[in-house]
Amino acid sequence: MASWSRRMLVAHCVVALSGLAVSISACKKSGGDEGGPIKIGVPVPLSGDSASAGQDILAGAKVAAAEINEAGGIKGRKIEIVEADDACTPQQSAQAAQKLVNSGVVAAAGGYCSGAAVPAAPIFGRANVPFVLDASTNPVLTDDGQGKVFRTCGRDDRQGEFAAKFIVDTLHAKRVAILHDNTTYAKGLAEAAAASIKKNGQAEVAYLDALTSGQSDYTPVLTKIAGLKPDVLYFTGYFAEAGLLLKQRKQLGLTFQMVGGDATTDASALRTAGDTAEGFIATTAPLPTTLPSAADFVRRYKAMNNGGEPGPFSAYEYDAIKVLAKAIDKGGTTDLIKTLHGLEEQQGITGSIAFDDKGDRKTLNFIAVTVQGGKYTAYKP
Amino acid sequence: MTDFLQYLVNGLTIGTFLALIALGYSMVYGVLRLINFAHGDVFMVGSFAGLAVLTGASSSAPATTALLIAGAVLAGSLVSGVLGVGIMRIAYAPLLRAPKISLLIGAIGVSFALEEAVKLLTHAGFRSYPHVLPQTMLLSGPVRISYSQVVLVLLALGLMFGLWAFITRTVRGTAMRALAMDSDAARLMGIDVERVVLTTFFIGSVLAGTAGVMYGLYYTQINFAVGFLVGLRAFTAAVLGGIGNMVGAAVAGILIGLVQSFAAGYVSSRWADVIIFGVLIGALVLRPHGLFGERVAERV
């Protein structure tokens, strides 16, 4: 493992040096409020297991930017999307955030893994750059964000409450097993759901533990869970593991209902699971495929991406860029944080958007979706 | 009790993969006294080579599917075999006379180079194998065993038996054993040391590549990093079995698979790695030559 940390050290040095070079060149250029394009940073994972999710988010941002620019930009200035790879790891995320700040972005819109967004938030905060999250749902982000972090997506504690209610009231589960993967997001959601189930008192939490991601073989943990005879297994980790769990649950002939969190609603999980994903349920904020208001966006997204479908968070990223554009149009690029807080309710494609004091969305309803014919559709009991 | 049996079945399946890979670590150590850290990544490259053949395959006609699977296994094993020989010739051969630590560092370098190359080529995301293995069950009572599982385990055992026969029954195999005992004496006896070393790399890498394709077919999901953890566990098995000892590597591979399964089942999946590597440390302290060590540890 020593070699790993050495590699990290080298990476740190390289990024620190390149950051220096960028900041020097940024100093030479003009500041934020003169001519030239308005830069918006998009930090997302473009490598690692979550790379496909990051690509989908970035593509969503590009659709929004293209629309704004075609309509003449903001007061005659174009929007420029600056991408940065956070690789879903805390170290690289901090570097990506610093790189974006150095390159002179007026705002950041992105984030996927909460564990990566947590160290990035204070870096944007110190530079007074608002950070609008489209997919990072851990409560800490806005709770500790000093009002400089915003979200177009929901919060894990609210999703946990919704999931607990859904699993107990709609699926009529008496015994619930909850499995996470020890990441910031998954653990937070698992604990929120468990607390909510316990508080309600109508069902019991039979199991609450983590798997180690990257193992490929989860049959031992599934066998253990099956021995506890739960009615529902709620898996709050990411889609790579969700696909394997679904497949191996079928191999073991287990019959409990599997429910996932919003990070499992990625189409690549269905490719791994194949037809064993049929009937899988996920709790999530509404997906582009279940939102009638997103139809135009989906069409445009497909046209710009060779027919590729948007990911679960592409629409939330689209809305994040649109809200930022609205705020810049109203108040300019300085004091953007204050403008965002004071912004009146906006109609986005994911519903109406306005931020509370912390920066969370005032209204966002969670839904349940299920896999039918290899696609996510709205769940009907 | 049924839980116990299911853990046993799960563990045996994981273990056979580890055993196949552990054999490569053990063989190379036997002839070169080198821990080939790139071996796990040779496994990973084999897995991707198999996927390249299978991409676009659908399970419509059983005959073509079987042919495709055979083609994938062949491609995976050959690509890995050639890769193993190439690594030996390019990266290790010039360092054979250098201190052992240079060779070890070279191996770690090759490992990172392979991982990063595949990471760039595949955009780092994971890739899904097509679902071509039939899902029918041999046993579907309280304990579940699928036909695919049985076939994979039998195939792995067959390969191990083939390797054992090669080492004990053929001239080249005997030469390998002679080299493992004393390479200078073997050279004096007229053995073409370089060819035997290359054969060892080829066979070890072919086994890893085959395991890679089997792994992909069975779990249907791979990425550039898959060789790291699997390789580390297989290496643990090789050491536990008494590195250099073939039977030891195979048995310890299956043992590590069982430890992983039981640890995840009876303790927690989070603790599996702690327990696996704890077993390794315990074995090294109590039996430094490994389970099958004795003095045979010096032989292939």
Side-chain angles (χ1 to χ4, degrees):
Chain A
M1 296 315 275
S3 51
W4 270 99
S5 57
R6 171 178 295 185
R7 201 150 67 148
M8 280 300 152
L9 188 70
V10 172
H12 274 287
C13 294
V14 169
V15 169
L17 283 175
S18 63
L20 201 65
V22 169
S23 61
I24 289 166
S25 61
C27 292
K28 281 187 214 145
K29 280 187 209 151
S30 59
D33 257 333
E34 292 155 45
I38 300 168
K39 289 180 178 175
I40 296 179
V42 178
V44 283
L46 298 172
S47 61
D49 272 355
S50 302
S52 62
Q55 295 284 3
D56 292 344
I57 292 169
L58 183 62
K62 285 181 177 163
V63 172
E67 271 179 24
I68 294 163
N69 290 341
E70 274 164 32
I74 304 168
K75 293 187 177 134
R77 293 174 70 189
K78 301 266 184 216
I79 285 202
E80 185 188 331
I81 298 291
V82 186
E83 61 185 69
D85 179 13
D86 71 19
C88 201
T89 64
Q91 297 92 336
Q92 203 171 329
S93 170
Q95 291 158 9
Q98 193 59 54
K99 199 177 124 197
L100 288 176
V101 168
N102 292 349
S103 72
V105 298
V106 299
Y112 179 69
C113 296
S114 291
V118 166
I123 295 173
F124 289 122
R126 277 197 292 275
N128 273 320
V129 168
F131 188 14
V132 188
L133 300 162
D134 70 307
S136 304
T137 47
N138 193 279
V140 164
L141 283 159
T142 41
D143 286 352
D144 296 353
Q146 299 170 322
K148 294 173 178 177
V149 178
F150 300 84
R151 261 197 266 246
T152 57
C153 54
R155 286 166 61 105
D156 291 338
D157 41 6
R158 293 194 201 148
Q159 186 186 169
E161 267 171 43
F162 169 81
K165 201 166 148 44
F166 173 79
I167 288 167
V168 175
D169 292 353
T170 312
L171 299 177
H172 307 294
K174 291 274 169 251
R175 291 172 66 80
V176 185
I178 301 176
L179 181 67
H180 60 94
D181 64 6
N182 253 337
T183 57
T184 308
Y185 153 76
K187 198 171 178 209
L189 179 54
E191 282 168 359
S196 193
I197 289 173
K198 279 182 193 147
K199 205 172 111 200
N200 227 324
Q202 286 171 303
E204 62 174 313
V205 179
Y207 176 91
L208 175 62
D209 200 356
L211 51 73
T212 310
S213 51
Q215 286 203 325
S216 296
D217 201 317
Y218 299 114
T219 45
V221 69
L222 281 170
T223 306
K224 174 169 190 172
I225 290 168
L228 300 166
K229 308 221 177 319
D231 303 309
V232 166
L233 167 63
Y234 188 41
F235 174 65
T236 63
Y238 290 87
F239 55 89
E241 280 74 36
L244 289 169
L245 283 170
L246 283 166
K247 192 169 146 46
Q248 289 165 14
R249 178 189 64 140
K250 187 72 178 284
Q251 267 167 7
L252 292 170
L254 305 177
T255 49
F256 52 73
Q257 173 68 47
M258 219 182 113
V259 180
D262 57 348
T264 63
T265 56
D266 195 284
S268 24
L270 304 184
R271 276 198 292 280
T272 296
D275 54 12
T276 62
E278 287 296 297
F280 173 61
I281 300 173
T283 61
T284 175
L287 301 175
T289 44
T290 64
L291 285 165
S293 52
D296 273 341
F297 164 73
V298 174
R299 234 186 326 270
R300 205 173 159 127
Y301 184 101
K302 281 186 176 173
M304 279 179 71
N305 292 286
N306 297 322
E309 297 266 352
F313 297 103
S314 304
Y316 293 87
E317 176 71 7
Y318 173 92
D319 273 357
I321 301 277
K322 281 292 181 85
V323 166
L324 275 172
K326 189 85 191 168
I328 296 168
D329 191 36
K330 198 179 166 209
T333 51
T334 46
D335 262 345
L336 200 49
I337 291 170
K338 214 173 142 198
T339 321
L340 279 167
H341 276 295
L343 211 60
E344 72 274 21
E345 206 135 295
Q346 298 292 314
Q347 201 53 43
I349 56 172
T350 61
S352 93
I353 299 170
F355 300 111
D356 63 15
D357 295 342
K358 283 181 182 172
D360 281 311
R361 227 171 129 157
K362 280 182 184 157
T363 48
L364 180 68
N365 295 323
F366 286 95
I367 60 163
V369 292
T370 184
V371 179
Q372 268 178 354
K375 275 201 155 79
Y376 286 102
T377 52
Y379 178 82
K380 290 179 200 75
Chain B
M1 188 59 198
T2 53
D3 276 4
F4 176 82
L5 290 175
Q6 190 64 56
Y7 292 141
L8 197 71
V9 173
N10 301 343
L12 284 175
T13 319
I14 305 170
T16 41
F17 285 114
L18 293 181
L20 268 186
I21 305 159
L23 283 169
Y25 279 105
S26 224
M27 281 168 74
V28 168
Y29 184 84
V31 296
L32 279 190
R33 298 290 178 277
L34 160 69
I35 292 166
N36 181 13
F37 265 107
H39 193 61
D41 300 297
V42 170
F43 158 85
M44 175 270 296
V45 170
S47 196
F48 273 99
L51 177 61
V53 171
L54 278 171
T55 301
S58 62
S59 51
S60 50
T64 41
T65 307
L67 214 63
L68 270 170
I69 291 177
V73 172
L74 202 67
S77 58
L78 281 183
V79 166
S80 287
V82 171
L83 180 67
V85 170
I87 291 171
M88 168 64 207
R89 293 204 86 126
I90 295 164
Y92 301 158
L95 293 172
L96 284 180
R97 298 277 158 220
K100 286 288 173 217
I101 189 79
S102 314
L103 209 53
L104 189 69
I105 294 168
I108 294 170
V110 171
S111 166
F112 283 163
L114 285 177
E115 267 180 40
E116 295 298 318
V118 174
K119 180 175 164 184
L120 289 172
L121 289 173
T122 62
H123 305 293
F126 64 79
R127 288 279 179 280
S128 299
Y129 259 66
H131 298 256
V132 288
L133 286 191
Q135 295 296 323
T136 38
M137 291 286 154
L138 175 68
L139 276 182
S140 51
V143 176
R144 311 260 300 182
I145 304 174
S146 69
Y147 279 107
S148 315
Q149 250 170 332
V150 176
V151 170
L152 288 178
V153 170
L154 286 181
L155 184 60
L157 290 177
L159 285 171
M160 288 180 217
F161 180 77
L163 177 68
W164 178 77
F166 174 81
I167 287 173
T168 54
R169 297 273 184 275
T170 66
V171 176
R172 187 62 68 81
T174 313
M176 271 166 71
R177 284 188 293 148
L179 198 59
M181 284 172 92
D182 188 333
S183 63
D184 289 328
R187 197 186 304 273
L188 290 172
M189 296 309 287
I191 290 172
D192 185 345
V193 172
E194 198 193 344
R195 283 192 66 172
V196 175
V197 168
L198 288 179
T199 313
T200 311
F201 264 88
F202 184 76
I203 295 175
S205 305
V206 161
L207 289 180
T210 313
V213 180
M214 286 160 64
Y215 189 92
L217 285 169
Y218 185 66
Y219 293 119
T220 66
Q221 184 173 297
I222 55 169
N223 73 359
F224 71 94
V226 79
F228 181 73
L229 199 60
V230 173
L232 210 56
R233 291 206 181 116
F235 166 66
T236 304
V239 173
L240 186 63
I243 190 152
N245 183 301
M246 297 286 97
V247 179
V251 172
I254 290 170
L255 206 65
I256 293 284
L258 289 174
V259 169
Q260 186 188 333
S261 177
F262 285 121
Y266 288 120
V267 189
S268 162
S269 163
R270 283 189 284 183
W271 283 88
D273 279 328
V274 178
I275 294 169
I276 288 173
F277 296 115
V279 167
L280 172 70
I281 294 166
L284 284 176
V285 171
L286 299 173
R287 278 188 73 87
H289 289 293
L291 294 180
F292 290 73
E294 305 296 340
R295 293 300 305 151
V296 207
E298 296 300 312
R299 290 177 209 154
V300 165

